[in-house]
Amino acid sequence: LADARKGSSLRAFAAGAEGGGHGAAVAAVAVGQGAGAGAVLSGDRAGVVKLWRLESSGGDAVPCAHTWTRHSASATAVALHPAGGHGFSASADGSFALLDFATGAIVATAAFAGGSHAIGCAALHPDGLFFATGTAGGHVRIWDVKSLTNAATFDVAGGADGARRGGGGGGAGVRALTFSENGYHLAGAGDDGLVKVWDLRKLSVLATLGEAGRGVSSLRSDACGIFLAAAGASGLRVFSAKTWEPLCGADGDSLGDGGALMAGFAPHARAIVGVTSKEAFACAAPDA
């Protein structure tokens, strides 16, 4: 755990399976906000998911509160419910799970067979009522959290009518998802480098952003509803969340091997934050 303002490390998490930490490389991390502040959820490439409680730590190392071993392949995404008591994990084995932080129980699960159904990314709706998963086959599925039923399915490679309830299709694998701050829109992107934005009220494609090319690995909407950032091998791109026009960016070749790995925003969207294979960087937000 680091202080981004000072660039210094604050706390360490238990390392290695024998010490209560992960025994495989960590693939996904989520940090609690609001009611969930103080909770950190992590998942590793062996499919193990762990909950950490910052407020319960008395020493230098943050202890593990709960461990779940539901998944048989890498945990590709984790998310914390805004109410603070539950979390989600998703896996390349095609399954996702609803986790109870108080008891350590797995409340519910849903699963598909692997292959094209392998989940590569996931996102939780701001109000906590819906959970979205993106698959290797190009499907984006939105799930009702209470019933774990499939409320809608989109295809990243589909055309203007690429939103429907249930169904097949497929195309480029989905690598990144993000909901808008008001929950009206969902953006998804993947191997083809295009970013698709859906209007969840009409279940239709609202915009297709960027140019086909190298894949996108990270999408992030800012908390103010002003910007949408996309990071990937082709670089870092920032779009207006009102007009969907491109605003600024950094070319992938100028960022080094792999381009931009992750994108994010400083509080109140005052700055755009990017992460490469070698460093993290920030630049002033453009005029919206």
Side-chain angles (χ1 to χ4, degrees), residues 190-250:
D191 296 333
D192 62 2
L194 296 174
V195 178
K196 188 155 288 187
V197 182
W198 294 277
D199 186 327
L200 300 180
R201 296 163 295 181
K202 300 179 180 179
L203 292 181
S204 62
V205 175
L206 184 61
T208 299
L209 313 176
E211 298 179 356
R214 292 177 287 182
V216 173
S217 57
S218 174
L219 284 174
R220 185 64 58 88
S221 298
D222 77 283
C224 301
I226 303 173
F227 305 114
L228 171 66
S234 59
L236 177 65
R237 295 170 288 170
V238 180
F239 303 91
S240 166
K242 304 299 183 183
T243 66
W244 307 112
E245 293 295 322
L247 299 175
C248 65

Side-chain angles (χ1 to χ4, degrees), residues 82-173:
H86 296 83
F88 289 87
S89 62
S91 170
D93 66 6
S95 70
F96 67 89
L98 173 60
L99 313 171
D100 188 314
F101 290 169
T103 65
I106 297 177
V107 179
T109 62
F112 288 90
S116 64
H117 294 296
I119 298 173
C121 58
L124 186 62
H125 193 274
D127 65 12
L129 296 179
F130 298 98
F131 185 65
T133 57
T135 72
H139 304 292
V140 176
R141 293 187 175 96
I142 298 180
W143 304 87
D144 183 295
V145 168
K146 291 184 178 180
S147 64
L148 288 189
T149 55
N150 185 195
T153 298
F154 306 100
D155 285 341
V156 161
D161 59 347
R164 62 191 186 286
R165 299 188 181 278

